[in-house]
Amino acid sequence: YNGAGTVGSTEACLLAGLALKFRWRNWYAKRHGLTAEQVLGVQPNMIISTCFQACWEKLFRFFDVTPHFILPSVKTYTIDPSEIAALCDDKTMGVVGILGNHYSGAYDPIWDIDKAVAKINSDNGFQIGIHVDAASGGFIAPFQDGLPPFDYRLPNVLTISASGHKFGESSIGTGWITFRHKTDLAEHVSTTVSYLGGKCSSMTLNFSRPATGPYVQIYKLLRLGEEGYRSKVSNQMVVAKIIRDALREMKHPDGTPRFEILDGGDTHCLPVVGARLNPKVHRAYDDIDLQHALAER
């Protein structure tokens, strides 16, 4: 595997997107007999849930990638793998699976996305890859037992990104990107530089950066270890469940629940609570009013 520390998961996602784009460009030029110059005028697309984080909008806008959106169900907030094929063509460079979205904490079913992508590639002669956006779940999912494979155990997963400053317990601005292999993937974003009398590879968008994040991350990994992170995640899931159960118990005077729970539940998701005011209960305020009231404290 290859990888690098990044400035948050934003830079990590941009690097993954660029690696997939350049990989696709080589393949597309060969498929259609285009020169290196001719293929520059062809814009690839990427499939992603509308639960995407802002970094992907930057990829689409700054690096000329067309988004093909899948609108998830409000009941799941996750990609339905059966909808991927209809959005694919030979300009599709990848599919993004979000391992813990910002709305419900639910995981896209990477394991089923992999099966769908494998069939699409086999049927059409494509080479579509999967990026796992584990900004939030990268330091949660590995410590949850019973979760299906979501990483490089799946053959079509080519890149994985994570935020160290979320559940990784590092300092703000810490991100990580990993690549499945170097050839025709990581090499596309790697540059060799002569620095302080020797040569080194740089896989990041900029060069100079604070070293604080990686140092803090390494310290936490050594200090807590797998057992410590597993205990931390277990405790966080328990705290989320306590809050979730308390919201479920809150009733309107007529007995109707005050809240409708929208998050991923008690297991195999992020330790977060997502809810909205029950639309069946009529009141003089809405979710936005409640949000402002909570923000005051």
Side-chain angles (χ1 to χ4, degrees):
Y1 304 120
N2 293 260
T6 59
V7 179
S9 62
T10 292
E11 185 185 16
C13 290
L14 296 180
L15 289 165
L18 285 174
L20 290 173
K21 179 179 179 178
F22 296 144
R23 173 179 180 267
W24 165 85
R25 183 180 283 169
N26 288 344
W27 172 85
Y28 189 86
K30 202 173 292 184
R31 181 180 174 96
H32 292 277
L34 302 178
T35 65
E37 186 175 353
Q38 288 172 329
V39 77
L40 294 179
V42 186
Q43 187 162 316
N45 63 69
M46 174 175 271
I47 297 170
I48 192 170
S49 157
T50 52
C51 294
F52 69 92
Q53 203 263 355
C55 66
W56 291 107
E57 191 167 346
K58 295 180 180 181
L59 177 82
F60 305 144
R61 184 182 301 180
F62 300 161
F63 300 143
D64 297 325
V65 175
T66 301
H68 284 182
F69 293 124
I70 289 181
L71 184 66
S73 163
V74 71
K75 295 181 179 179
T76 64
Y77 287 95
T78 62
I79 279 183
D80 180 351
S82 68
E83 297 183 23
I84 294 175
L87 297 176
C88 288
D89 54 36
D90 67 354
K91 294 180 182 176
T92 304
M93 68 185 205
V95 179
V96 177
I98 303 174
L99 199 69
N101 68 59
H102 290 71
Y103 295 93
S104 70
Y107 300 152
D108 277 338
I110 312 295
W111 42 92
D112 291 329
I113 294 174
D114 180 77
K115 294 175 186 174
V117 168
K119 186 175 190 312
I120 293 165
N121 286 341
S122 175
D123 291 347
N124 301 280
F126 296 165
Q127 62 153 33
I128 298 170
I130 297 172
H131 172 73
V132 177
D133 181 353
S136 296
F139 285 87
I140 295 293
F143 308 107
Q144 293 176 319
D145 294 328
L147 192 65
F150 56 85
D151 47 24
Y152 295 126
R153 289 170 290 178
L154 303 175
N156 296 290
V157 172
L158 300 183
T159 53
I160 303 174
S161 59
S163 285
H165 61 225
K166 292 190 177 76
F167 296 108
E169 304 295 316
S170 186
S171 56
I172 291 296
T174 309
W176 301 98
I177 176 65
T178 62
F179 302 90
R180 186 184 191 98
H181 49 74
K182 184 176 182 179
T183 303
D184 201 27
L185 191 64
E187 66 182 8
H188 294 310
V189 295
S190 177
T191 56
T192 301
V193 295
S194 179
Y195 193 64
L196 297 178
K199 289 185 178 181
C200 66
S201 293
S202 174
M203 289 188 180
T204 51
L205 293 176
N206 64 324
F207 190 71
S208 299
R209 66 179 56 214
T212 309
Y215 276 124
V216 173
Q217 186 77 84
I218 291 168
Y219 168 75
K220 290 296 181 71
L221 291 172
L222 292 173
R223 179 71 176 83
L224 297 175
E226 181 178 347
E227 183 179 348
Y229 272 92
R230 187 175 293 276
S231 176
K232 176 190 74 71
V233 170
S234 177
N235 290 339
Q236 289 169 324
M237 294 298 289
V238 168
V239 170
K241 185 179 188 311
I242 290 171
I243 297 172
R244 186 179 300 113
D245 290 346
L247 290 180
R248 283 199 178 103
E249 291 300 316
M250 296 181 70
K251 309 285 186 180
H252 190 265
D254 66 3
T256 307
R258 287 187 177 273
F259 292 95
E260 183 178 346
I261 304 299
L262 300 175
D263 59 49
D266 299 333
T267 59
H268 296 167
C269 60
L270 299 180
V272 298
V273 179
R276 67 174 176 175
L277 292 171
N278 191 339
K280 295 179 181 178
V281 177
H282 297 287
R283 53 177 68 80
Y285 58 92
D286 61 16
D287 297 88
I288 304 302
D289 297 320
L290 177 59
Q291 179 177 307
H292 285 304
L294 291 171
E296 292 176 359
R297 296 177 181 271

